[in-house]
Amino acid sequence: MGLAGEGIGPARAREQFLREGSVEGAVRSPILNSWQRSRSLGLTPEGCELPFSQDLDLDGRLVRAAGPVLDRLQSRFAGRNMNVSLADGRGAVLQRRFGEASLVRHLAAIQSVPGFVFAERFGGTNGIGLALAERQLITVYGAEHFAERSQSSACAAIPVRDLLSGRIEGVLCLGFPATDAYTALNTVIRKAAGAIERRLLEQSSTRERALLQAYLDAGRQTPGDDTSSNGQLGELAESGLDWRDQMILKEKAAELITSAQRAAVEVALPGGRRVTLLSRPVTSASGVEGVVIEAVLPSAHQRVAVPAEAGTPPVPLAEQVLAPAAPLSGRLPDAAPGRAVATARRPGTPGLPGASGSTGGLVMVGEPGVGKYAVAARRRLELLSEASTRIGTTLDVSRTAQELAEMAVPRLADFITIDLPEAVLRGEEPTDPRSGLHRTVVHGIRDDCPFYPAGQQVDLRPTTPQLRCLAAREPVLEPDLWAATGWIAQDPGHAQELLDHHVHSLITVPLLARGIALGVASFYRSADPAPFGDDDRSLAQELATRAAICIDNARRYTREHTMVLALQRSLLPHSFPEQNAVEVASRYMPAESGVGGDWFDVIPLSGTRIALIVGDVVGHGMHAAATMGRLRIAARNFAELDLGPDEVLTHLDNLVGRLDRDEDTAEAVAGSPGIIGATCLYAIYDPTSQQCVMARSGHPPPAIVRPDGTVTFPDLPAGPPLGLGGLPFETAACHLPEGSQLVLYTDGLIRDRHRDFDLSLDRLREALAHQDRSPEDTCEAVLRTVVPDHPTDDIALLVARTRVLDPHRIATWDLAADPALVSGIRAAVTRQLAEWGLDEVVFATELLLSELVTNAIRYGTEPLQVRLLHDRTLICEVADASSTAPHLRHAATTDEGGRGLFLVAQLAQAWGTRYTADGKVIWAECALEVSGGKPGAVETYFDDIPAI
């Protein structure tokens, strides 16, 4: 079945992979990577034996944190075939829960008993092992499992991390039958893993609060000590460290505090700068142990060597730090939770007063705020990293703005609104972004907050934070909206409603790209009682800047997409010609990523036949659309020559080859892209014989829907794509009963990287399997059930329901090559026309047939046949076994002959020659609404005959 038969799903891809065949693009990259790792480990589908470990921490902090969450999951999935498991960082299962309690009696031991290790090196591709390997949420379906025993199951697994260290503590996995579908499963497992991570953090905070109390008790014994800092790196902020550097240092400092030992670690910062962190154990007067983290910044970016005693060489910094130290002078002061604590300094210590050639200061002291600093820093970094991949996934302006909102809520803000000028939404560049703002996105943690709704025009005063930030091109922070008079003055009643909903803090950020303001994003906080701070403002600005670049790309793409789509639609048929062979309906859908080169056409041919064409130029954009137009025009011209499908494709193949060579030359000169390739399907249907002849060049085969609703995909020779050259095309013929539907489409309908190919074909078959349905209804059904939600390739669809020319409207006569028989044919034709009620065309038809039959007898070869077709026009055909075609010419005034075809051309509205396997057919069409051909045709003919 050509391309349709070459598409493979996971099961076939797995079989092909195990046979060491190539499956690139047929399976998801994480699955393929895991398959390759499994094979490199020497695993086989039948030999994935899982080890059983008895060394399990069944009462550890992970199990204690996960217990209530697993109980809730078990309750949520009660009565369902759901297997909930918790594994440790090795992949060994610690706990299992079952939605249906009876499952435990029917499942194998590895699916029901804790202790089996599902690491990828033992079990191959599976949820737990792959989540540990990929370090992210993973779904594995059916045949994507490497082990044979898991083919009927599916699972979703997600790592569970320690929020302080970022280390993976374990894996939460949900297993279920492959036939079951849970649409919200990813959301459920993300929330469950988050709940376990928060409970792990609470355990750490409990221990740290006990240590803090000891510090506070020690601090109260030293009144008057005035050395506490504000926790913002003190002197380090004056050393040129920005907020990114500070977050990196805080993250590393938190890790050092957890080690509770002396250490010196060099931390690399962006820009090539390096800072040394010193970790020093300290003990309060009451014996409570803690850790102080200090930073040393060598001047001129040099490593600092601290002088030792006189007469000895300098001691390297790390060795100096790790040498035995005297107790710190002074005591720990009183501190507030969540704040770093400054300590007394020892003279001569690197990075402290008395050290030469370096600067530095306190980073933090081990207490509950340390963990929060680390988590906040890591979350900011993770948010920025994730934003680079999740914002701008499409080239749609509104969707890109929505992605910014989804990234910011709830990790930065509780609500966000995004206002864009209408010009940006149309793909144009805004002249004044402060006017014509359109509320594009409203997104938040709940839906009841009374913001201006999306889709509404927003008229803002110049005093509002939104217009102030657009005017200054800088973010505006309003930490307390109760005191934000400019924001309240915009609409006091509306502002009061928001304040009543506990909205209390605001950051507005301009969306700037290439120096152009494209709109404004407003971040609101309500659920978190803490107001926005400077770090939040910097983070919001970074997010908005990244989103603005993506919005600008989408805006420019929208403009280009609109232009290309207009070109594409102008090159496609606006309507179909009137004909009686088929009833036709069509659809064209551009891809989300850009307009491509898909096209279709319906071309009437001689003898009441009809040509149906569908083609696809590889690529997207203006070049693909323009190339499509050239191919469509060429295909129409070749069709006018009455060539067979294989001959038309041969001519198109030669044309694409020439165009490609021309484009290669142009590319070398101007750098424009060449034609990558094109495919085509060409079919000719004859309503007199109900025969359909088809040929294709690398294109998916059509679908045929019989009158009883049976759907088949004919075994049509594939043929090479257009442009390869040198290879022949083959035709195939089939009989189509009246009322059959011929469905032609491009591969964008059935090929999509996000779904299985076999499933797409099954959906197409189900959508077509209906009796007595019009082509329009068929098109709607296919678009509704087969087309993906976000098509990655454009789609052309052409549906033709066949009709049959009534046999009573067909008259055929066989005759020998005898001129004496011409008068008998004229008489028979006259009687037939009278029977059809076409007396007004008898005279013109007699003249036409006299010339055509006489020429066939004189120049043709037997057998001869005359055929009349009564359709929208009267079609006269004379067939013979000769392949020599007549040519129209102007006879000289002295010639006694040579005017027959000129008479035919004058009397008929169209005439021509088509070749058959047995010879040729000369045909002419006579219009039924007039009594003859062109005015004066007969008179002109007789006037041109020379006198004798």
Side-chain angles (χ1 to χ4, degrees):
M1 291 178 56
L3 290 181
E6 294 162 11
I8 56 176
R12 297 184 191 173
R14 179 172 172 274
E15 294 175 2
Q16 188 167 327
F17 173 82
L18 295 176
R19 293 195 300 266
E20 299 188 357
S22 175
V23 293
E24 291 290 339
V27 294
R28 296 179 291 148
S29 57
I31 301 297
L32 180 56
N33 293 339
S34 180
W35 285 356
Q36 292 170 342
R37 290 194 297 266
S38 301
R39 184 162 62 183
S40 67
L41 291 169
L43 299 178
T44 60
E46 300 81 10
C48 294
E49 298 297 334
L50 302 182
F52 183 81
S53 174
Q54 295 182 343
D55 182 20
L56 302 177
D57 189 1
L58 298 179
D59 194 31
R61 57 193 297 263
L62 177 61
V63 174
R64 292 197 304 271
V69 179
L70 297 180
D71 292 339
R72 289 198 297 272
L73 288 175
Q74 182 177 12
S75 176
R76 177 187 180 96
F77 294 112
R80 293 189 179 184
N81 292 336
M82 180 64 72
N83 187 340
V84 183
S85 57
L86 176 72
D88 61 18
R90 303 172 301 163
V93 175
L94 302 174
Q95 293 280 315
R96 285 195 181 272
R97 299 285 194 277
F98 300 94
E100 175 59 51
S102 61
L103 280 178
V104 71
R105 298 193 299 269
H106 304 292
L107 294 176
I110 63 170
Q111 295 178 295
S112 59
V113 178
F116 285 94
V117 182
F118 284 82
E120 193 180 64
R121 67 179 184 275
F122 302 121
T125 307
N126 67 86
I128 294 175
L130 194 52
L132 288 173
E134 296 288 336
R135 306 180 67 84
Q136 62 179 337
L137 173 62
I138 287 293
T139 54
V140 184
Y141 300 100
E144 291 181 333
H145 288 88
F146 191 77
E148 195 70 37
R149 62 172 174 269
S150 303
Q151 299 297 293
S152 61
S153 63
C155 62
I158 187 171
V160 176
R161 288 181 168 85
D162 184 327
L163 295 179
L164 290 174
S165 66
R167 184 178 63 251
I168 294 178
E169 295 290 332
V171 176
L172 178 64
C173 182
L174 304 181
F176 50 93
T179 55
D180 292 356
Y182 300 91
T183 56
L185 195 60
N186 283 357
T187 301
V188 171
I189 196 170
R190 285 184 190 275
K191 291 183 176 180
I196 297 175
E197 291 172 346
R198 289 191 296 272
R199 289 179 59 82
L200 285 171
L201 181 62
E202 290 172 1
Q203 293 178 11
S204 300
S205 299
T206 301
R207 293 193 302 270
E208 292 174 351
R209 279 194 293 270
L211 178 62
L212 174 63
Q213 188 60 49
Y215 284 145
L216 297 179
D217 293 342
R220 294 191 183 97
Q221 300 173 12
T222 58
D225 198 321
D226 190 29
T227 59
S228 64
S229 74
N230 61 6
Q232 298 299 320
L233 293 180
E235 299 94 326
L236 299 181
E238 302 173 1
S239 302
L241 297 180
D242 60 17
W243 66 274
R244 298 178 185 84
D245 299 332
Q246 296 179 25
M247 286 198 303
I248 295 172
L249 292 178
K250 289 175 183 178
E251 180 180 355
K252 191 61 182 178
E255 295 176 359
L256 289 175
I257 287 176
T258 60
S259 66
Q261 60 184 5
R262 297 173 57 83
V265 176
E266 194 172 57
V267 181
L269 299 177
R273 197 169 187 181
R274 293 182 176 274
V275 175
T276 300
L277 291 183
L278 310 181
S279 171
R280 300 180 180 277
V282 294
T283 304
S284 69
S286 62
V288 178
E289 296 181 352
V291 178
V292 172
I293 306 297
E294 297 162 330
V296 178
L297 287 78
S299 60
H301 307 289
Q302 300 294 323
R303 292 292 300 270
V304 177
V306 181
E309 297 179 0
T312 61
V315 180
L317 177 60
E319 295 181 16
Q320 166 70 17
V321 171
L322 296 177
L328 289 176
S329 60
R331 300 192 176 196
L332 292 173
D334 198 2
R339 297 170 66 90
V341 181
T343 63
R345 279 95 180 256
R346 287 186 299 157
T349 301
L352 300 176
S356 62
S358 62
T359 61
L362 178 67
V363 178
M364 58 177 63
V365 174
E367 45 103 356
V370 172
K372 293 183 179 179
Y373 276 135
V375 172
R378 181 169 290 108
R379 284 178 175 173
R380 284 185 169 90
L381 290 173
E382 288 177 350
L383 181 59
L384 290 176
S385 176
E386 191 174 347
S388 65
T389 59
R390 291 185 56 188
I391 297 178
T393 60
T394 68
L395 289 172
D396 179 82
V397 172
S398 298
R399 179 57 196 162
T400 303
Q402 181 67 32
E403 289 170 346
L404 168 61
E406 292 172 353
M407 282 300 304
V409 176
R411 298 161 72 174
L412 173 61
D414 299 317
F415 297 95
I416 182 172
T417 63
I418 300 177
D419 304 322
L420 303 177
E422 292 185 1
V424 173
L425 297 174
R426 294 194 302 266
E428 302 170 5
E429 191 169 291
T431 55
D432 183 4
R434 291 171 294 180
S435 61
L437 286 175
H438 186 84
R439 177 58 51 87
T440 306
V441 173
V442 178
H443 186 66
I445 57 176
R446 60 181 190 272
D447 299 330
D448 61 345
C449 214
F451 291 98
Y452 295 142
Q456 180 175 318
Q457 190 82 14
V458 180
D459 297 320
L460 301 176
R461 295 188 178 187
T463 58
T464 59
Q466 287 83 359
L467 290 196
R468 283 160 46 204
C469 85
L470 285 174
R473 305 294 179 93
E474 293 290 342
V476 173
L477 170 63
E478 293 285 1
D480 184 6
L481 287 179
W482 288 93
T485 57
W487 177 76
I488 295 175
Q490 166 67 26
D491 187 343
H494 181 251
Q496 186 60 50
E497 290 183 24
L498 292 175
L499 294 172
D500 291 342
H501 280 75
H502 308 292
V503 175
H504 61 79
S505 191
L506 166 66
I507 299 173
T508 60
V509 186
L511 299 172
L512 300 175
R514 299 182 299 109
I516 301 172
L518 302 175
V520 60
S522 303
F523 302 82
Y524 295 88
R525 182 168 286 178
S526 66
D528 189 342
F532 284 123
D534 292 333
D535 286 347
D536 298 315
R537 177 175 56 186
S538 299
L539 180 59
Q541 182 178 16
E542 185 71 23
L543 283 176
T545 299
R546 298 189 182 197
I549 295 173
C550 296
I551 289 175
D552 188 49
N553 290 337
R555 176 194 65 80
R556 290 188 288 175
Y557 166 78
T558 299
R559 179 182 59 188
E560 179 183 345
H561 179 79
T562 302
M563 296 171 56
V564 176
L565 184 59
L567 173 63
Q568 170 83 344
R569 294 194 182 280
S570 70
L571 295 175
L572 290 174
H574 293 193
S575 60
F576 294 120
E578 294 183 356
Q579 42 79 35
N580 292 335
V582 291
E583 179 186 355
V584 185
S586 65
R587 293 292 187 275
Y588 171 77
M589 289 187 62
E592 285 193 348
S593 59
V595 177
D598 290 15
W599 57 282
F600 56 86
D601 210 344
V602 177
I603 306 172
L605 302 177
S606 64
T608 70
R609 298 170 306 137
I610 195 77
L612 305 170
I613 314 176
V614 167
D616 184 3
V617 175
V618 176
H620 296 86
M622 189 78 71
H623 182 74
T627 303
M628 176 275 292
R630 298 165 77 176
L631 288 183
R632 177 175 173 250
I633 293 173
R636 291 190 68 91
N637 291 335
F638 294 142
E640 291 291 339
L641 298 177
D642 255 333
L643 303 176
D646 53 338
E647 295 177 283
V648 171
L649 292 183
T650 299
H651 285 292
L652 289 177
D653 181 50
N654 295 332
L655 173 64
V656 172
R658 289 195 298 271
L659 292 177
D660 209 3
R661 290 190 292 272
D662 293 343
E663 291 293 340
D664 288 342
T665 303
E667 181 181 5
V669 176
S672 61
I675 299 175
I676 301 175
T679 65
C680 184
L681 171 63
Y682 192 98
I684 296 177
Y685 172 69
D686 188 345
T688 64
S689 62
Q690 305 179 49
Q691 288 291 112
C692 183
V693 182
M694 297 174 282
R696 63 180 178 132
S697 58
H699 202 83
I704 296 177
V705 186
R706 303 289 177 177
D708 61 357
T710 303
V711 180
T712 59
F713 295 91
D715 188 11
L716 183 61
L722 298 177
L724 293 184
L727 297 175
F729 298 96
E730 299 180 51
T731 61
C734 61
H735 180 80
L736 297 181
E738 184 177 9
S740 300
Q741 288 193 357
L742 188 63
V743 182
L744 288 71
Y745 53 88
T746 54
D747 62 355
L749 180 67
I750 56 176
R751 289 188 179 274
D752 186 86
R753 61 176 177 265
H754 301 299
R755 63 177 180 174
D756 182 70
F757 178 82
D758 296 330
L759 177 61
S760 299
L761 277 184
D762 291 340
R763 287 184 177 178
L764 178 60
R765 190 187 303 273
E766 292 174 3
L768 297 177
H770 289 270
Q771 303 180 24
D772 300 327
R773 190 163 60 183
S774 69
E776 283 290 340
D777 292 340
T778 299
C779 287
E780 289 298 324
V782 170
L783 295 186
R784 185 172 58 252
T785 59
V786 183
V787 175
D789 295 333
H790 304 285
T792 57
D793 193 8
D794 50 344
I795 297 169
L797 176 65
L798 183 65
V799 179
R801 183 165 64 179
T802 62
R803 296 169 177 161
V804 175
L805 184 62
D806 189 344
H808 294 94
R809 288 176 169 256
I810 305 173
T812 305
W813 298 272
D814 295 322
L815 70 158
D818 184 358
L821 300 177
V822 175
S823 59
I825 287 295
R826 283 201 303 267
V829 167
T830 300
R831 290 191 298 271
Q832 184 63 62
L833 293 179
E835 182 179 337
W836 287 341
L838 301 179
D839 296 325
E840 69 277 7
V841 296
V842 168
F843 178 69
T845 304
E846 285 183 343
L847 287 177
L848 284 172
L849 281 176
S850 294
E851 293 297 334
L852 295 179
V853 172
T854 301
N855 282 340
I857 292 174
R858 179 176 298 177
Y859 305 109
T861 305
E862 292 186 289
L864 306 179
Q865 186 183 74
V866 176
R867 186 170 73 158
L868 291 184
L869 303 176
H870 180 196
D871 193 43
R872 291 176 178 267
T873 59
L874 180 65
I875 303 172
C876 306
E877 295 181 347
V878 177
D880 67 82
S882 171
S883 59
T884 303
H887 297 281
L888 180 65
R889 68 181 181 87
H890 285 277
T893 56
T894 58
D895 291 344
E896 295 184 4
R899 296 174 178 81
L901 288 181
F902 180 77
L903 176 62
V904 170
Q906 292 297 310
L907 292 175
Q909 68 176 18
W911 76 280
T913 304
R914 72 172 181 269
Y915 293 94
T916 65
D918 302 323
K920 68 175 182 298
V921 175
I922 309 297
W923 58 269
E925 292 186 7
C926 295
L928 299 181
E929 58 272 12
V930 295
S931 59
K934 301 175 181 61
V938 178
E939 292 81 354
T940 303
Y941 169 73
F942 286 110
D943 289 343
D944 287 344
I945 297 178
I948 298 177

